Amino acid sequence: MTALPQYNFAYLDEQTKRMIRRAILKAIAIPGYQVPFSSREMPMPYGWGTGGVQVTASIIGPDDVLKVIDQGADDTTNAVSIRAFFAKVAQVQTTTHTAEASIIQTRHRIPEKPLTEGQVLVYQVPIPEPLRFLEPRETETRKMHALEEYGLMHVKLYEDIARHGRIATTYAYPVKVEGRYVMDPSPTPKFDNPKMHMSPALQLFGAGREHRIYAVPPYTEVVSLDFEDHPFEIQHFAEPCALCGATEVYLDEVILDDRGGHMFVCSDTDNCEERRQAGHVGSLGTGREAAE
Amino acid sequence: MEGVIDGAFADPVMQSQSVFRALMDALANPGTMRKLPVPRAIGTSMIPELVSTLLTLSDHDTSIWLDEVLRSEPANVQFASFHTGAPMVAEPGRAAFAFVHSAEAMPPLDQFNPGTQDYPDRSTTIVLAVPSLSGGPALSLRGPGMKDEVHISPSGLPGDFVGQWEINRALFPRGVDLLLVADGHVMGLPRTTRIAEGQ
Ligand SMILES: [Zn+2]
C-alpha cells in the first residue's frame, strides 16, 4: 500500500462518493441488477477488492465498526491491510467479531454467525457478470438480462449434470434474486448461498475492475438455480472442525505433513475462536491456547 | 444572494455521509422512518429536508428537476445551481432527481423517467415533501426489504397514488423510486414495493 500523506475522509473525494452512492441507491431499488459506475484508482491492486473498498469508503461513517474478512479469515494480509486502511482514512473502529460489526467487507465468504438487521455486508467481486463465460460480449449479456433470457445458464448447468451426474459448480454458484435477475454471488462457496436468502442484512457488491455495483436488500428472495430432478445442495463435510468441533459450517482442508496427514478447520476464524472460547473442543484442539 | 450561500451543510463531508446512510437505509427498508440530518432552513419553499437530499445526491453529473412552485422562487434555483452545479431540466422525464415540495405540485408518476429495460438505473428518483409521514390514510407495503407487511400512513400523498404506484411497479425493472420527506425524517419507497390501501 502506498503512503497516504494527505487524504479525504474515507480516501475518496466527495464527487466520487456521490457517484457511488447514487449507484448504490439504484442497486438497492433493482435487486440483482448490475449498476455501472466509474471505478476509481485505489491505493491497492485490483486483486485486493478495490470494488468492495470503494463501496465501503462511500458508505462508512465515524460511528461504524468495520470487520474485514478474506476467505473467512480476519488475519490475512489483505484483510489486515484493508482494515488498517479504513482505521487510518476514516478513523473508524474495527473488529474481528461478526456481531460487533456494522459493516463487514468480505472476499469469498459469508460469516457463519447469522447477520442481523442494520448490518451491511460488502462483497469484493472480481467478475460480476454471471453470464460472462457463456457470452463474453457485454452488449449481449445486458440484452439477456433485459429480456430475462436465462436459458443459456440453465443449459450450462444441465451440461454439468450430463457430464458429472450433478451440478459441479461449487463457487460463484448463480442465484436468482427476487424472481428476476440472475446474479453472481461472487466467488463464495455455494455453501454460503442459502445465507443470502432473506438475510436481515443489506448486501452490497462492488466490482472495481468491471465497474459494477449490485445489491440484495434485506429480506429478499435469493434462490440458487437448479432443476427439479437435481435440486441445489450445499457442500457437506465428513468430519467436524478439528479445532472447535463445529459441524454445519464451511471447513478448509489443512495439510499437516507430507504423508497425507490433514485436518479440516473452520474457514470462519472468528466463529471458530468464539466457539473455542466457549469451551468447544475438536479432535485436534486442546482448548484455545494450545490451538494458537 | 444571502440565501444562496446560507443553508448548505456546515460540514459537507460528514453530513452528506449521514444523509446518504439515512437514504440508503430508507430504500433498503421501505416504509421505515429514518432520521434525516438537515441544514438550517433557507427560508423558501425548499424545506431543509429537500435541501439535504439535494446536496447529498446531486452534482454536475445529475440533471435535476424542481417543481413549478420551487422553480418560481429564484432563490431556490440559485441555491441549487450554486451548491450542486447540477443542470436544471424543464421536463420531469429528463431528470435524474426530482424535488417536489408538495403533492399539489407533483406531476403523475408516469411523467418521470422510468429508465430503459437495458438500463433501468437511468430513472428518476423523486424526493417528495409531505406534511407528515404519519396521520394519513393507512397503506400496507410488501416486497424486498420487508420481513413482514409494513404499515404506513403518510399524509398528503397525491390523489390516486396507489393506482399510479401499481402502474409504476408493473414496469419493473423499470420504474421510479420515491423518497418521502417530512419533519427531519425520510421514508423510502423503491420501485419494488407493493402498496395496498388499508391495513
Ligand atoms: Zn472451528
Side-chain angles (χ1 to χ4, degrees), chain B residues 6-8 38-43 48 51:
Chain B
D6 283 352
V38 291
R40 217 146 41 85
I42 61 174
V51 170

Side-chain angles (χ1 to χ4, degrees), chain A residues 241-246 249 251 264-268 271-273 275-276:
Chain A
C241 169
L243 300 177
C244 77
V249 297
L251 302 175
F264 284 95
V265 297
C266 285
S267 135
D268 184 332
N271 194 55
C272 194
E273 245 168 70
R275 284 180 50 83
R276 281 181 278 153

Side-chain angles (χ1 to χ4, degrees), chain B residues 122-173:
Chain B
R122 297 181 182 172
S123 54
T124 310
T125 300
I126 305 164
V127 187
L128 171 63
V130 292
S132 170
L133 292 174
S134 58
L139 300 173
S140 44
L141 316 180
R142 279 186 177 280
M146 292 169 279
K147 187 181 183 188
D148 306 301
E149 200 168 63
V150 168
H151 302 282
I152 62 168
S153 54
S155 56
L157 288 179
D160 190 32
F161 173 73
V162 172
Q164 288 187 47
W165 187 261
E166 183 49 34
I167 294 166
N168 179 62
R169 208 194 64 79
L171 298 175
F172 191 84

Side-chain angles (χ1 to χ4, degrees), chain B:
Chain B
M1 293 288 279
E2 196 185 307
V4 171
I5 315 294
D6 283 352
F9 291 137
D11 182 353
V13 173
M14 300 325 256
Q15 277 167 299
S16 303
Q17 189 274 333
S18 52
V19 171
F20 166 72
R21 279 294 275 275
L23 302 179
M24 180 178 95
D25 290 343
L27 281 175
N29 304 274
T32 59
M33 279 190 236
R34 303 284 161 165
K35 201 168 164 25
L36 186 70
V38 291
R40 217 146 41 85
I42 61 174
T44 71
S45 51
M46 187 98 110
I47 61 165
E49 289 82 359
L50 290 177
V51 170
S52 79
T53 46
L54 171 84
L55 294 174
T56 300
L57 296 172
S58 340
D59 55 36
H60 51 75
D61 286 335
T62 58
S63 50
I64 60 171
W65 181 83
L66 304 184
D67 73 55
E68 264 179 55
V69 178
L70 292 174
R71 235 180 318 159
S72 67
E73 265 182 284
N76 289 335
V77 177
Q78 286 163 10
F79 181 89
S81 24
F82 182 86
H83 287 290
T84 69
M88 197 92 52
V89 293
E91 306 90 48
R94 291 181 50 217
F97 293 100
F99 299 89
V100 189
H101 100 297
S102 72
E104 293 72 52
M106 175 92 161
L109 288 178
D110 62 10
Q111 300 289 297
F112 296 97
N113 185 359
T116 66
Q117 198 70 14
D118 283 10
Y119 290 94
D121 55 305
R122 297 181 182 172
S123 54
T124 310
T125 300
I126 305 164
V127 187
L128 171 63
V130 292
S132 170
L133 292 174
S134 58
L139 300 173
S140 44
L141 316 180
R142 279 186 177 280
M146 292 169 279
K147 187 181 183 188
D148 306 301
E149 200 168 63
V150 168
H151 302 282
I152 62 168
S153 54
S155 56
L157 288 179
D160 190 32
F161 173 73
V162 172
Q164 288 187 47
W165 187 261
E166 183 49 34
I167 294 166
N168 179 62
R169 208 194 64 79
L171 298 175
F172 191 84
R174 297 185 302 137
V176 298
D177 306 308
L178 184 59
L179 294 163
L180 301 176
V181 294
D183 303 325
H185 286 81
V186 58
M187 182 185 281
L189 294 173
R191 66 193 76 179
T192 47
T193 300
R194 295 187 293 279
I195 306 180
E197 275 168 291
Q199 294 285 344

Side-chain angles (χ1 to χ4, degrees), chain A residues 105-110 121-130 169-175 182-193 196 203-207 214 216:
Chain A
Q105 184 174 323
T106 180
R107 176 172 171 268
H108 297 194
R109 277 310 312 278
I110 299 175
L121 185 59
V122 179
Y123 296 75
Q124 303 171 196
V125 181
I127 299 169
E129 181 48 75
T169 307
T170 53
Y171 285 87
Y173 190 106
V175 294
V182 167
M183 186 187 92
D184 189 322
S186 89
T188 48
K190 69 176 179 178
F191 180 90
D192 286 338
N193 277 20
M196 306 179 78
Q203 303 173 72
L204 300 177
F205 301 77
Y214 50 104
V216 174

Side-chain angles (χ1 to χ4, degrees), chain A residues 6 9 49 52 64 79 137 159 170 172 177 192 221 236 244 257 268 288 292:
Chain A
Q6 276 190 318
F9 175 79
D64 279 307
R137 288 168 297 180
E159 280 171 1
T170 53
V177 181
D192 286 338
E221 261 188 40
H236 291 285
C244 77
D257 53 45
D268 184 332
R288 191 165 177 274
E292 291 191 339

